[in-house]
Amino acid sequence: MEFWPEFLASSWGKEFVAGGFGGMAGVVSGYPLDTLKIRLQQPSVSNTATKSAFGVLRNIVSSEGPCALYKGMAAPLASVSFQNAMVFQAYAILSQAFNKSPNNNDPPSYRSVAIGGFGTGALQSFLLSPVELVKIRLQLQTNKPKTNIKESQEGPRSIIKSILKKEGLKGLYRGLTVTVLRDAPGHGVYFWSYEYAREKLHPGCRKTGKETLKTMLVAGGLAGVVSWIACYPLDVVKSRLQAQTQTRLDQFPPKYLGIVDCFRKSVQEEGYSVLWRGLGAAIARAFVVNGAIFTAYEVSLRIFFSNNQAEGERIIE
């Protein structure tokens, strides 16, 4: 019973809890745009299939209802809070570990921020990859005729059981390699961009921690946009690989046999523009989600763990 008070009193506990609040804020604020992004990234069923963001959005709402935009949200909402808490805690540890400043009161250098973010992205891929696999399978379900409801409208538990039964634990980690390749450099860019943007928007705030709510929102949003642009082609490949339900042992093997094969076939069939399909929705989502994540994270640190309660209240105003 004494663990939690001691944990929350430590710097690690503060980063963990604040990161969890940030994760919840990010999922709720950006999930509809994430569903739209996933649908846009998939191969066209026909040459006449609608692939504009507004066209796909209109089709989802008209044929499946507005709730379809939140399909599969339970899995990431339950896990992303913990995952995001671990990300911010790991980042705090790694960025300090690689910081060479003799003064512990100085903020981590931009170099240590980038390295810490890179390591954090690689580590969090092991938590995130199975969650995104299930989320993508859920998001790609469509409302089919009632004769096929049991098959077409599976929940998270059913999908996990099906994957484990067919492929074992290895099946849940389909796409892990490309997730690491996406998230390691992506998180390095992510945290570096945030620290750089907040300092430019509010000079001196990295030392004082007194940036405004507007600075948190804008810096977080810009960090999300820059990091997504940097790794977006890999995200397209990851989504396509994780959307496949076939294995190489099936009678009809999967279309894409690996990362390079997916790149090659996607470009051959749909052109290089396919690697950026859905980028508009991803950027819009990235700005909203990451603005919410960093704002919730920073505000949580100040409100719940600051010795100066008035300072935390001033930021919200």
Side-chain angles (χ1 to χ4, degrees):
M1 294 297 293
E2 295 180 355
F3 170 77
W4 284 108
E6 293 179 1
F7 180 69
L8 292 176
S10 68
S11 60
W12 288 16
K14 295 173 183 178
E15 299 286 349
F16 185 89
V17 174
F21 278 108
M24 287 188 285
V27 172
V28 174
S29 63
Y31 200 82
L33 285 168
D34 185 62
T35 298
L36 183 61
K37 173 181 74 73
I38 293 297
R39 295 284 183 98
L40 284 165
Q41 288 177 337
Q42 300 311 305
S44 300
V45 177
S46 67
N47 292 332
T48 59
T50 302
K51 276 300 179 180
S52 71
F54 286 109
V56 172
L57 177 63
R58 184 170 58 248
N59 183 59
I60 293 173
V61 174
S62 62
S63 62
E64 304 174 53
C67 290
L69 294 170
Y70 290 91
K71 189 177 290 182
M73 190 176 76
L77 187 62
S79 59
V80 167
S81 299
F82 174 76
Q83 174 251 328
N84 211 66
M86 292 298 296
V87 163
F88 276 91
Q89 182 170 310
Y91 165 70
I93 295 170
L94 291 175
S95 61
Q96 288 293 344
F98 288 103
N99 189 27
K100 295 183 178 180
S101 174
N103 189 350
N104 291 331
N105 293 324
D106 287 340
S109 66
Y110 288 123
R111 174 182 173 276
S112 62
V113 164
I115 296 174
F118 187 95
T120 299
L123 291 172
Q124 70 105 38
S125 297
F126 291 89
L127 290 174
L128 187 64
S129 187
V131 174
E132 290 208 339
L133 175 70
V134 174
K135 175 179 71 69
I136 287 172
R137 300 281 176 88
L138 287 165
Q139 288 174 318
L140 292 177
Q141 289 183 158
T142 56
N143 291 335
K144 297 180 180 179
K146 291 187 177 181
T147 56
N148 203 29
I149 279 184
K150 184 176 180 181
E151 178 182 343
S152 64
Q153 294 300 306
E154 294 181 300
R157 289 185 180 180
S158 299
I159 288 178
I160 293 172
K161 287 181 180 179
S162 176
I163 293 171
L164 290 174
K165 182 178 180 181
K166 186 177 181 180
E167 304 175 60
L169 185 62
K170 182 181 178 181
L172 282 176
Y173 281 91
R174 176 183 291 193
L176 174 62
T177 301
V178 72
T179 303
V180 173
L181 291 174
R182 180 197 69 172
D183 284 0
H187 275 66
V189 173
Y190 179 61
F191 283 107
W192 182 90
S193 299
Y194 175 70
E195 294 293 341
Y196 181 82
R198 67 189 286 232
E199 184 66 21
K200 289 295 181 182
L201 291 169
H202 196 130
C205 69
R206 293 190 72 221
K207 286 188 176 182
T208 64
K210 293 183 178 180
E211 67 266 46
T212 63
L213 198 64
K214 179 181 176 181
T215 297
M216 298 175 194
L217 285 166
V218 175
L222 289 176
V225 169
V226 172
S227 63
W228 268 107
I229 291 174
C231 67
Y232 195 77
L234 283 168
D235 186 65
V236 174
V237 172
K238 185 190 78 70
S239 293
R240 292 191 169 199
L241 289 173
Q242 291 187 319
Q244 298 183 133
T245 57
Q246 307 97 323
T247 68
R248 299 191 185 198
L249 300 178
D250 289 344
Q251 182 179 359
F252 300 101
K255 179 178 180 179
Y256 307 118
L257 302 179
I259 298 172
V260 175
D261 187 56
C262 185
F263 260 118
R264 182 175 56 80
K265 288 180 179 177
S266 297
V267 171
Q268 283 181 348
E269 295 173 3
E270 303 172 69
Y272 283 100
S273 63
V274 71
L275 299 176
W276 304 100
R277 181 183 293 167
L279 179 62
I283 287 177
R285 173 186 173 273
F287 192 89
V288 173
V289 168
N290 292 287
I293 286 175
F294 274 108
T295 301
Y297 167 75
E298 298 284 3
V299 171
S300 297
L301 281 178
R302 287 156 176 75
I303 291 180
F304 295 110
F305 306 112
S306 175
N307 292 327
N308 188 350
Q309 186 73 14
E311 178 64 22
E313 295 172 354
R314 183 191 65 79
I315 292 174
I316 299 178
E317 291 178 353

